[in-house]
C-alpha cells in the first residue's frame, strides 16, 4: 500500500512548503500547481492537513506539499497536530521551501522555524513572500539577521520572483535520471462524505495506514478536500488503485459562519462531483439526521455510486443478535431512496470490519460502469412487459416499444413508448427495480428516461455527432426508427458501435461549481440542501 506522499506509486521529487501560519504558503502552493486547490484566507491556521499537488516546472514534474503553519510552541491540541503534519512533510521532502512574510518582518517564530529546519539536514530555500515590487525590496534585508541565505523575494499572489526560485530548486534536484512513473488516471475516485465529526479522517487514516489527516473531536477540523492515492491487492491477486478524497463535513447553512468553512463546503460538493464512488459515513450513536438525508439525496442526484458506512458501531450501547437487523431496517426506512446502496457497520477507530470496505467499493464501481447489451436488455424488457403490462391512461393502453442503455457511470436507460406523460413514476420505479433484480446494479443509482417514439423521431445531434465515421445519419435514424423487438440481435451490433453520452439523450443534472463564482454556486446548492428555519 502506498499513498500520495510516498515514492512507491508516484516517484516524483517532493517539494515541501513550510513556515509559520499565515505567511502565504497555500498561495505559493496554488501558484506552483496552477490550481486553486488549497483554501487561502487572511487568517492563521486555515491549512491544517498536508495537501499534495502535482506540478510541472520547466518541463519537469514534481510533487508539491502544502502544510499547516508551524508553531514551535504549540499550546493547543490542534496546533500540535498541525506541527506533526509539517514534521512528516519535512521528513519525506527532497527540497524545502521556508516561507516568510516580508511586510510583517522577522518574528520570534521565524527564528524558531529556521533552527528547526537547520537540524533537518535537508536543502532549504528561504523565500520572502509578499514582495510585490521594488518598493518592497528593502524588506528583504531584515531576514539576513536570521543567519540564512540566499533569500528569494517573491510575490506568490502575482507570480513575481517564482521563476528564479524554481530555477534554483530544479538545479538543486539535479538532472532527471529516469522518467517517473505516470500517475494512473484509471484509479477509482472515492470521496468520503458525511456530517462533521462522524469519523471521515479517522477512516481515511485507517485505510491508508498512516496519520495522513489530523483527527480531532472538534467538528470542522478538516477544511480542504484532501486527495490520497492508495493501492491494494485484491483477493484474486489483481492490484486495485484508488484516489481517496477526504472532505470537510457539511453542516446546515445557518451554522456556517466563516468564509473559510463556506469554501470548505463548496470543495466538498465539488469533491462529490469528481468522485465515482462515495463512502457515506453515518454516526451509529446518533442515527440518521435530516442533514444526513439531504446529503444522501445530493449523492443520488449527482448520480454517484455509494456505500453506506455506519461508523462508531463499537460505541453503540447494548447490542444483541437482533440489533444489526433492526438498525439496517431503520436506516433503510429513513433512506428509502437509497435502498440500492450496500450498508456496512464499522469502527474506523478500532478497525472493525474496515477491511471489507474496498471490496464493496469495487462492487459498487463495477455496477456503476456496467453496460447491458441491447439484445439481452430487450429480451428481459419483453418478459417484464408480459408479466406486468403498462397501465391504461385515459382509456388508452400505453405501448412500450423497446429500451436501450445510453450511458454508464451511472447506468442510464431510455425507454421508447407512445405516451411518456402517461408513464407514472411508480411504473418507472417498477422497471428500475426489475432491472436491479435481473442484473444487480448494487451500489449505483439507475437513471430511467421515457421518450416518445413517433413514426419519424428526430435524431439527436449528439447521437450522430458521436457516432463513428462509418455510422452516418441514416444508420442513426435506423436505430431510432427500429420498430418492435424482432430482429433485435441484428440491431445489437449497430447499437453497440454508437457511443452515446448521457447528456446527448437527456438533460444532465449539472452540479459542477463554476470557478468564477463559487460563493454564488454554494448558495444555490445549499438552497437545494435546505435550511432549518
Amino acid at each position: 500500500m502506498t499513498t500520495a506522499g510516498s515514492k512507491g506509486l508516484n516517484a516524483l521529487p517532493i517539494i515541501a512548503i513550510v513556515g509559520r501560519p499565515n505567511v502565504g504558503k497555500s498561495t505559493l502552493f496554488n501558484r506552483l500547481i496552477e490550481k486553486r486547490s488549497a483554501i487561502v484566507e487572511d487568517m492563521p491556521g486555515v491549512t491544517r492537513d498536508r495537501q499534495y499537488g502535482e506540478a510541472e516546472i520547466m518541463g519537469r514534474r514534481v510533487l508539491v506539499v502544502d502544510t499547516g503553519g508551524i508553531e514551535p510552541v504549540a499550546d493547543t491540541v490542534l496546533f500540535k497536530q498541525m506541527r506533526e503534519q509539517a514534521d512528516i512533510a519535512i521528513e519525506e521532502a527532497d527540497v524545502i521551501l521556508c516561507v516568510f512574510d516580508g511586510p510583517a518582518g522577522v518574528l520570534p517564530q521565524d527564528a524558531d522555524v529556521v533552527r528547526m529546519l537547520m537540524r533537518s539536514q535537508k536543502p532549504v530555500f528561504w523565500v520572502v513572500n509578499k514582495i510585490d515590487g521594488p518598493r518592497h525590496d528593502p524588506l528583504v534585508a531584515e531576514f539576513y539577521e536570521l543567519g540564512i541565505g540566499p533569500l528569494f523575494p517573491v510575490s506568490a499572489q502575482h507570480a513575481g520572483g517564482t521563476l528564479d526560485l524554481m530555477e534554483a530548486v530544479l538545479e538543486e534536484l539535479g538532472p532527471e535520471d529516469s522518467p517517473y512513473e505516470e500517475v494512473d488516471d484509471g484509479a477509482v475516485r472515492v470521496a468520503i462524505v458525511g456530517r462533521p465529526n462522524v469519523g471521515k479522517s479517522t477512516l481515511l487514516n485507517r485505510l491508508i495506514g498512516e496519520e495522513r489527516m489530523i483527527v480531532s473531536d472538534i467538528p470542522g477540523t478538516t477544511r480542504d478536500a484532501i486527495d490520497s492515492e492508495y493501492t491494494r491487492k485484491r483477493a484474486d491477486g489483481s492490484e486495485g488503485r484508488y484516489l481517496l478524497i477526504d472532505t470537510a463535513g457539511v453542516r446546515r447553512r445557518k451554522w456556517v459562519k466563516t468564509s473559510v468553512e463556506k469554501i470548505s463546503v463548496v470543495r466538498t460538493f465539488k469533491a462529490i462531483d469528481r468522485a465515482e464512488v462515495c463512502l457515506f459515513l453515518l454516526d451509529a450513536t446518533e442515527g440518521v439526521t435530516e442533514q444526513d438525508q439531504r446529503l444522501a439525496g445530493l449523492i443520488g442526484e449527482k448520480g454517484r455510486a455509494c456505500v453506506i458506512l455506519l461508523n462508531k458501531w463499537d460505541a453503540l450501547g447494548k447490542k444483541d443478535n437482533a440489533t444489526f437487523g433492526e438498525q439496517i431496517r431503520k436506516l433503510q426506512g429513513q433512506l428509502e431512496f437509497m435502498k440500492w446502496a450496500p450498508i456496512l457497520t464499522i469502527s474506523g477507530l478500532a478497525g472493525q470490519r474496515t477491511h471489507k470496505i474496498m471490496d464493496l467499493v469495487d462492487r459498487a464501481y463495477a455496477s456503476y460502469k456496467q453496460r447491458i447489451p441491447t439484445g439481452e436488455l430487450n429480451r428481459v424488457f419483453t418478459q417484464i412487459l408480459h408479466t406486468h403490462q403498462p397501465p391504461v391512461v385515459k382509456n388508452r393502453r400505453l405501448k412500450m416499444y423497446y429500451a436501450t442503455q445510453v450511458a454508464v457511470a451511472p447506468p442510464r436507460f431510455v425507454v421508447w413508448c407512445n405516451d411518456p406523460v402517461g408513464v407514472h413514476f411508480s411504473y418507472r420505479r417498477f422497471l428500475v427495480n426489475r432491472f436491479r433484480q435481473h442484473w444487480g446494479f448494487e451500489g449505483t443509482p439507475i437513471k430511467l428516461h421515457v421518450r416518445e417514439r413517433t413514426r419519424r423521431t428526430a435524431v439527436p445531434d449528439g447521437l450522430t455527432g458521436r457516432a463513428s465515421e462509418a455510422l452516418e445519419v441514416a444508420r442513426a435514424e435506423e436505430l431510432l426508427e427500429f420498430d418492435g423487438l424482432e430482429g433485435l440481435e441484428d440491431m445489437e451490433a449497430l447499437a453497440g458501435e454508437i457511443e452515446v453520452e448521457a447528456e446527448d439523450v437527456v438533460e444532465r443534472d449539472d452540479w459542477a461549481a463554476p470557478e468564477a463564482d463559487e460563493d454564488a454556486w454554494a448558495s444555490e446548492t445549499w438552497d437545494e440542501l435546505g435550511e432549518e428555519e
Side-chain angles (χ1 to χ4, degrees), residues 379-393:
R379 281 190 289 271
V380 173
F381 185 58
T382 305
Q383 296 171 6
I384 295 173
L385 296 180
H386 286 165
T387 57
H388 197 293
Q389 292 188 2
V392 176
V393 179

Side-chain angles (χ1 to χ4, degrees), residues 183-193 226-230 234 240-246 270-279 303-306 358 361-362 364-365 368-369 409 508:
V183 175
D184 184 16
D185 292 332
V188 181
R189 298 186 299 276
V190 183
I192 305 176
V193 183
I226 308 294
D227 294 356
S228 299
E229 290 174 353
Y230 168 66
R234 299 190 179 102
R241 304 170 76 93
Y242 311 88
L243 183 70
L244 303 180
I245 310 170
D246 186 26
K270 294 180 75 173
I272 296 174
D273 201 54
R274 288 171 52 209
E276 295 165 307
V277 181
C278 289
L279 295 178
R304 298 298 178 257
C306 183
M358 301 315 294
V361 168
D362 287 339
Y365 180 74
Y368 188 64
K369 295 286 189 176
R508 183 184 172 202

Side-chain angles (χ1 to χ4, degrees), residues 46 70 145 292 323 345 357 394 480:
V46 172
I70 297 176
E145 71 181 51
D292 288 326
T323 303
T345 57
I357 294 175
K394 296 180 181 179
L480 287 177

Side-chain angles (χ1 to χ4, degrees), residues 78 149 265:
L78 204 54
V265 174

Side-chain angles (χ1 to χ4, degrees), residues 236-276:
D236 61 2
S238 63
E239 185 180 66
R241 304 170 76 93
Y242 311 88
L243 183 70
L244 303 180
I245 310 170
D246 186 26
T247 63
V250 179
R251 298 195 289 177
R252 285 186 176 276
R253 185 178 180 182
K254 64 180 292 186
W255 299 114
V256 177
K257 304 299 184 183
T258 67
S259 60
V260 171
E261 186 170 1
K262 188 175 183 180
I263 296 172
S264 297
V265 174
V266 171
R267 295 281 164 80
T268 297
F269 294 155
K270 294 180 75 173
I272 296 174
D273 201 54
R274 288 171 52 209
E276 295 165 307

Side-chain angles (χ1 to χ4, degrees), residues 35-251:
K35 294 179 183 177
R36 289 181 59 193
S37 181
I39 296 175
V40 177
E41 188 77 3
D42 189 20
M43 59 180 291
V46 172
T47 302
R48 297 179 176 179
D49 305 296
R50 312 192 314 275
Q51 181 166 200
Y52 296 83
E54 188 177 320
E56 184 171 330
I57 302 172
M58 301 178 189
R60 182 165 183 181
R61 290 171 48 232
V62 298
L63 201 62
V64 185
V65 186
D66 185 24
T67 65
I70 297 176
E71 284 284 2
V73 181
D75 54 358
T76 67
V77 173
L78 204 54
F79 275 118
K80 288 179 181 177
Q81 292 176 323
M82 289 166 61
R83 166 69 182 271
E84 291 172 359
Q85 292 288 305
D87 287 342
I88 295 173
I90 292 169
E91 178 64 29
E92 66 183 3
D94 297 298
V95 170
I96 299 169
L97 304 182
C98 179
V99 183
F100 305 106
D101 186 336
V106 177
L107 298 181
Q109 297 98 307
D110 292 323
D112 293 333
V113 171
V114 168
R115 283 192 292 270
M116 184 183 74
L117 293 179
M118 290 292 193
R119 291 194 295 269
S120 71
Q121 301 298 312
K122 295 286 183 76
V124 181
F125 290 81
W126 312 102
V127 182
V128 183
N129 191 26
K130 306 181 185 179
I131 305 301
D132 296 328
R135 70 184 189 279
H136 288 157
D137 286 344
L139 301 175
V140 179
E142 180 182 356
F143 290 88
Y144 281 109
E145 71 181 51
L146 294 172
I148 56 178
L151 297 175
F152 292 86
V154 304
S155 172
Q157 187 170 5
H158 302 105
T162 54
L163 181 60
D164 293 337
L165 173 63
M166 288 300 101
E167 285 180 345
V169 169
L170 291 182
E171 185 177 350
E172 174 63 34
L173 290 175
E176 190 172 4
D177 296 328
S178 59
Y180 292 102
E181 180 183 350
E182 291 290 328
V183 175
D184 184 16
D185 292 332
V188 181
R189 298 186 299 276
V190 183
I192 305 176
V193 183
R195 291 184 294 110
N197 210 34
V198 294
K200 299 183 294 298
S201 296
T202 301
L203 176 62
L204 176 64
N205 290 340
R206 171 65 62 177
L207 290 175
I208 68 176
E210 67 168 270
E211 292 299 314
R212 171 75 168 83
M213 304 298 301
I214 292 177
V215 178
S216 170
D217 291 333
I218 306 170
T221 300
T222 301
R223 289 180 168 176
D224 283 308
I226 308 294
D227 294 356
S228 299
E229 290 174 353
Y230 168 66
T231 63
R232 74 179 187 111
K233 286 291 184 182
R234 299 190 179 102
D236 61 2
S238 63
E239 185 180 66
R241 304 170 76 93
Y242 311 88
L243 183 70
L244 303 180
I245 310 170
D246 186 26
T247 63
V250 179
R251 298 195 289 177

